[in-house]
Amino acid sequence: MSSKTKLSRTRNIGIVAHIDAGKTTVTERILFYTGRSHKMGEVHNGEAVMDWMPQEQERGITITSAVTTFDWKNHEIHIIDTPGHVDFTMEVERCLRVLDGVVVVFCAVGGVEPQSETVWHQADKYGVPKVAFINKMDRMGADFSGTIQMMKERFSSIPLPIQIPLGQEDQFGGVVDLIGQKLITWDDDTLGSSFELSDIPSDFIPQAEEYREKLIETVAEVDDDIAEKYLEGTDISEKDILDAVRRATISLKVVPVMCGAALQNKGIQPILDAVVDYLPSPLDVPPVCGIHPVTGEEEKRYSDSKDHLAALAFKVVMDEGRKMTYLRVYSGRVESGGDVYNVAKGKKERIARLLKMHANKRERMQWADAGDIVAVVGLKDTTTGDTICDESHPIILEPIEFYESVISQAIEAKTPADQEKLATALDKLAEEDPTIRVKYEDETAQTIISGMGELHLEILIDRLKREFNAHVNVGKPRVVYRETIEKAVEVEGRFEKELGEKKHFGHVRLSMEPKERGGGIDLASEIDGELIPEEFHNSIFEGIREATLSGVVAGYPVLDVKVRIIGGSFKEGESSELGYKVAASSAFKDGCLEAGPILLEPVMKVDIITPSEFMGEVIGDLNARKGEIESISHRGPISEIKAKVPLEKMFGYSTDLRSATQGRATFSMQFSEYDRR
């Protein structure tokens, strides 16, 4: 098979959704029907193939994204099952960065839930085409058209139903394929492996025809070929519609929507057909762009094994003590035993082994080509977001953005033996998960770990004990604050000292003023090179950046400040980089003290779904937590409340919410912004 044919038959897709929408159940069915696994694992039994970590099996949730590869209709599909819990959003983000398409799973009862919205917008950010699957059509309260309506209201892409359910709730019997105009039903005796295509029941034909007409109208609005045939009244063939839907999906204009009930083994094979029919191959997506590290010019790499190598390390895992790096190969070829170049670290690395993954099992490979997602053993210095390429043709691909951690906890080793294990274990876990921050406090002899939420830290501590046998005492979770200033000031810093028989001099004047929330640190120089030569300006900026890491109120990082170099002086033979760095750092600290320093606290976006009868109690509780209600919407007997609440007030909220609503409400929260405490 030529490399072009192989690429056109490759799909790199992810399965994303809100927690409990049924992503892992869908993935388990896919593996079973494609012959990848011979037994259907169930999440509720702790036997799902893709949820292989003990922490996942106990909690019935996905924590780490798992990669697997299988064949369907002569196509090779690489699939990543991602977490749904908001604490592990980073895991979804880094997978979406390297995928060409996603299947978004919605719950027919819950509709578009908060985390579904987050992952949808993450996919939009990276321009990833989507197909949607409305799951749990057999559950009480399932509402296909209601979920479609919510998708229309909340997303910019147009949802395009290509199937409709035959009945809902306990009457759900199969799905009607609107393009092929057939009814699909599944055989319970074969666990849904075999299915039957038959004519649409006569009493259901009017509804199917109405939906099909809407489908063709929608496609005609976004595709000129179909529009022409539609207006002329020419017959539109099944292939015409399939091709048009594919074009519209890849160009992000529409999202094909299917439905089913994964736990009842209904609706899975059409998802695989849709992945092949509508989601892009590596040849259908634009060439990956990057920057040449020396010239700074933009370069492109095409999805071709003959082009120069460009691959992105999007995930690092520790596997039985060995480091394994997941790579998405965009162009060129990587070979087992071959040398590659890590641009970010400026180092040559050797690939010891190449592996094709199936959750935590693996197959050895000799090489991997453009379009492949593989695991590599042997890359010692490579971390998440690094670009791997040819040394003679370097390129830096757009790195992966990391989220700021918002919650921290103090831990200390129980024994001196645990202390040794703890340092090593935390290094390895922080390398795996870039949202983990580790800091050692000399005064208290405690280690402070920071992460994305209470569950994130709970899993981290659990892994320390299980995987590394490092036992720790755990303090209460603490909020990670930030600092800023409230007024504009001008300050100067001066450093003059003899160190090791060399004089060091530095003198700068800085102007500092507050910026709007979320504005970050803005540094610039407003002086010419005669006052302070330009080669020292970087040292001044470096001194300021270092000073921003620890504020004057409580030692938290400083945010949202605009700093300008407005003056200073230079002494021939004495001025040094060190002198200006120290002078700038002390000037910034003095400026913070004079400019009305304040603490900023993390404010969370909280989304609560509760039976309407408990709405009063839930809102009252949010008000008591200094929450600000942003919107309330009603969906039948269920209400959705969106609010902003300081993180400090949200500890233990899940227990309080359960007791206030008889365990019937659910909530998710994610970081929104830092604001005045």
Side-chain angles (χ1 to χ4, degrees):
M1 194 192 295
S2 75
S3 65
K4 215 159 194 151
T5 311
K6 178 183 178 288
L7 275 172
S8 69
R9 291 189 178 167
T10 299
R11 300 286 183 275
N12 289 312
I13 63 155
I15 298 199
V16 298
H18 185 87
I19 192 165
D20 276 347
K23 285 179 314 306
T24 302
T25 305
V26 168
T27 312
E28 291 300 317
R29 299 312 184 257
I30 286 173
L31 298 182
F32 182 68
Y33 298 142
T34 55
R36 233 336 171 164
S37 61
H38 303 293
K39 177 175 175 283
M40 233 182 252
E42 298 297 1
V43 176
H44 51 265
N45 296 339
E47 291 174 356
V49 176
M50 300 299 264
D51 285 352
W52 54 271
M53 288 171 68
Q55 294 85 351
E56 296 177 312
Q57 290 165 357
E58 285 165 10
R59 292 169 177 80
I61 61 169
T62 304
I63 292 166
T64 180
S65 49
V67 183
T68 193
T69 306
F70 56 84
D71 291 321
W72 181 256
K73 294 193 174 171
N74 213 9
H75 285 68
E76 183 177 286
I77 300 174
H78 304 273
I79 194 168
I80 299 182
D81 175 31
T82 63
H85 196 287
V86 70
D87 281 13
F88 306 103
T89 299
M90 184 63 229
E91 197 62 33
V92 184
E93 177 99 9
R94 59 181 173 183
C95 292
L96 285 170
R97 170 71 180 78
V98 299
L99 291 170
D100 299 330
V102 288
V103 177
V104 189
V105 181
F106 294 98
C107 168
V109 183
V112 178
E113 294 169 286
Q115 190 61 9
S116 322
E117 247 180 288
T118 305
V119 293
W120 189 286
H121 295 314
Q122 282 174 313
D124 281 346
K125 170 178 161 185
Y126 291 116
V128 180
K130 299 167 276 291
V131 297
F133 177 69
I134 298 176
N135 191 22
K136 305 192 182 183
M137 285 305 307
D138 57 328
R139 286 262 305 273
M140 278 295 286
D143 185 355
F144 179 76
S145 52
T147 305
I148 298 276
Q149 190 52 41
M150 285 178 80
M151 290 167 77
K152 282 179 181 165
E153 287 165 8
R154 303 206 180 179
F155 304 136
S156 54
S157 325
I158 303 164
L160 180 76
I162 56 171
Q163 293 176 350
I164 54 172
L166 183 71
Q168 295 190 153
E169 301 181 342
D170 55 356
Q171 298 298 307
F172 176 66
V175 301
V176 174
D177 173 8
L178 298 173
I179 298 175
Q181 292 177 287
K182 289 286 181 192
L183 170 69
I184 312 172
T185 49
W186 281 266
D187 182 4
D188 289 338
D189 295 337
T190 62
L191 294 173
S193 293
S194 57
F195 54 92
E196 194 180 320
L197 295 176
S198 54
D199 291 334
I200 301 168
S202 54
D203 58 336
F204 207 73
I205 288 174
Q207 193 181 342
E209 283 181 344
E210 184 192 331
Y211 265 95
R212 191 172 198 271
E213 189 63 23
K214 272 190 207 159
L215 183 150
I216 292 170
E217 276 177 25
T218 308
V219 176
E221 284 170 20
V222 295
D223 190 275
D224 293 344
D225 292 0
I226 297 290
E228 207 173 295
K229 288 183 179 178
Y230 183 67
L231 293 169
E232 287 171 0
T234 317
D235 190 39
I236 301 170
S237 72
E238 192 178 321
K239 186 176 185 315
D240 289 339
I241 300 173
L242 278 171
D243 291 347
V245 173
R246 179 179 178 80
R247 288 192 294 271
T249 304
I250 290 172
S251 58
L252 305 177
K253 290 172 183 163
V254 303
V255 176
V257 183
M258 295 161 291
C259 59
L263 203 57
Q264 302 295 330
N265 311 316
K266 291 173 182 168
I268 303 300
Q269 291 90 342
I271 299 177
L272 290 165
D273 290 342
V275 165
V276 167
D277 291 341
Y278 309 124
L279 290 180
S281 74
L283 293 174
D284 296 317
V285 292
V288 68
C289 292
I291 302 293
H292 191 288
V294 180
T295 64
E297 286 177 15
E298 186 175 276
E299 292 201 359
K300 289 181 178 174
R301 292 283 189 272
Y302 291 86
S303 220
D304 187 339
S305 54
K306 292 186 174 65
D307 200 348
H308 302 300
L309 173 65
L312 188 76
F314 68 94
K315 184 174 160 69
V316 172
V317 294
M318 293 299 159
D319 178 55
E320 295 168 1
R322 284 174 315 185
K323 180 174 164 181
M324 200 154 65
T325 310
Y326 283 87
L327 292 184
R328 161 71 198 264
V329 185
Y330 285 101
S331 62
R333 170 178 280 192
V334 287
E335 295 189 19
S336 185
D339 288 338
V340 291
Y341 183 62
N342 181 333
V343 191
K345 306 289 189 296
K347 285 187 177 177
K348 254 187 173 177
E349 300 241 48
R350 173 157 287 232
I351 292 175
R353 251 185 277 162
L354 269 179
L355 305 164
K356 186 182 278 191
M357 298 304 292
H358 174 49
N360 63 336
K361 299 184 178 70
R362 61 205 60 142
E363 274 169 51
R364 288 184 77 152
M365 304 167 71
Q366 279 308 109
W367 66 79
D369 284 333
D372 286 338
I373 290 179
V374 290
V376 175
V377 178
L379 302 181
K380 292 189 178 70
D381 297 304
T382 301
T383 51
T384 302
D386 285 356
T387 303
I388 299 296
C389 61
D390 291 336
E391 192 171 3
S392 53
H393 296 90
I395 186 172
I396 298 176
L397 301 178
E398 182 195 344
I400 297 168
E401 288 177 25
F402 298 127
Y403 293 93
E404 282 294 315
S405 44
V406 291
I407 182 170
S408 71
Q409 209 160 9
I411 58 172
E412 56 189 20
K414 286 189 174 175
T415 66
D418 286 325
Q419 182 61 49
E420 283 177 32
K421 291 177 197 164
L422 182 63
T424 313
L426 286 173
D427 280 350
K428 288 184 173 177
L429 290 170
E431 194 169 3
E432 268 190 35
D433 184 347
T435 54
I436 294 170
R437 300 275 186 275
V438 180
K439 194 170 96 183
Y440 186 74
E441 285 195 350
D442 291 323
E443 290 173 28
T444 58
Q446 286 180 321
T447 301
I448 307 297
I449 52 171
S450 308
M452 301 297 292
E454 286 182 89
L455 180 65
H456 192 196
L457 295 184
E458 183 192 313
I459 300 285
L460 178 64
I461 289 159
D462 192 31
R463 289 187 66 192
L464 284 174
K465 290 176 189 167
R466 282 199 206 194
E467 290 173 35
F468 299 95
N469 199 23
H471 296 273
V472 292
N473 295 318
V474 182
K476 276 190 173 168
R478 298 190 311 184
V479 174
V480 179
Y481 295 99
R482 292 287 183 269
E483 299 184 16
T484 192
I485 58 172
E486 284 202 296
K487 58 186 187 196
V489 291
E490 286 187 11
V491 283
E492 72 180 293
R494 193 180 189 93
F495 181 79
E496 210 166 350
K497 209 165 191 181
E498 196 171 304
L499 299 168
E501 298 180 7
K502 186 179 185 319
K503 284 187 175 174
H504 291 274
F505 174 80
H507 172 223
V508 289
R509 279 185 64 75
L510 303 178
S511 138
M512 294 167 60
E513 59 184 86
K515 287 186 75 179
E516 73 285 350
R517 292 290 166 266
I521 298 288
D522 179 2
L523 304 178
S525 170
E526 291 179 357
I527 57 169
D528 57 36
E530 287 179 17
L531 204 57
I532 300 173
E534 280 191 18
E535 68 252 34
F536 295 117
H537 290 194
N538 273 345
S539 300
I540 296 172
F541 291 148
E542 208 178 307
I544 296 167
R545 278 193 205 98
E546 279 184 18
T548 64
L549 299 175
S550 175
V552 295
V553 181
Y556 291 108
V558 180
L559 288 181
D560 306 340
V561 180
K562 182 177 178 180
V563 187
R564 296 286 175 270
I565 307 171
I566 53 168
S569 60
F570 170 71
K571 281 189 182 178
E572 189 70 54
E574 291 185 21
S575 285
S576 69
E577 290 185 355
L578 175 69
Y580 284 111
K581 189 173 168 182
V582 177
S585 180
S586 65
F588 183 83
K589 294 265 188 201
D590 293 346
C592 285
L593 284 167
E594 288 174 32
I598 55 165
L599 270 185
L600 298 175
E601 68 179 338
V603 176
M604 309 304 279
K605 267 193 284 198
V606 183
D607 210 309
I608 301 149
I609 293 170
T610 175
S612 299
E613 65 214 69
F614 300 113
M615 210 170 72
E617 289 94 323
V618 172
I619 290 172
D621 181 53
L622 286 172
N623 288 333
R625 292 171 193 270
K626 297 186 178 172
E628 184 186 313
I629 309 293
E630 295 200 306
S631 69
I632 299 169
S633 50
H634 304 283
R635 307 202 298 263
I638 299 243
S639 295
E640 182 180 14
I641 302 163
K642 293 189 177 210
K644 283 189 176 173
V645 191
L647 173 62
E648 189 182 26
K649 305 289 181 188
M650 288 301 290
F651 290 141
Y653 182 61
S654 55
T655 312
D656 294 347
L657 181 67
R658 278 191 204 114
S659 58
T661 61
Q662 297 170 10
R664 288 163 63 195
T666 59
F667 83 102
S668 72
M669 69 174 182
Q670 65 193 87
F671 174 70
S672 172
E673 72 237 0
Y674 279 98
D675 210 343
R676 189 182 178 128
R677 193 175 180 207

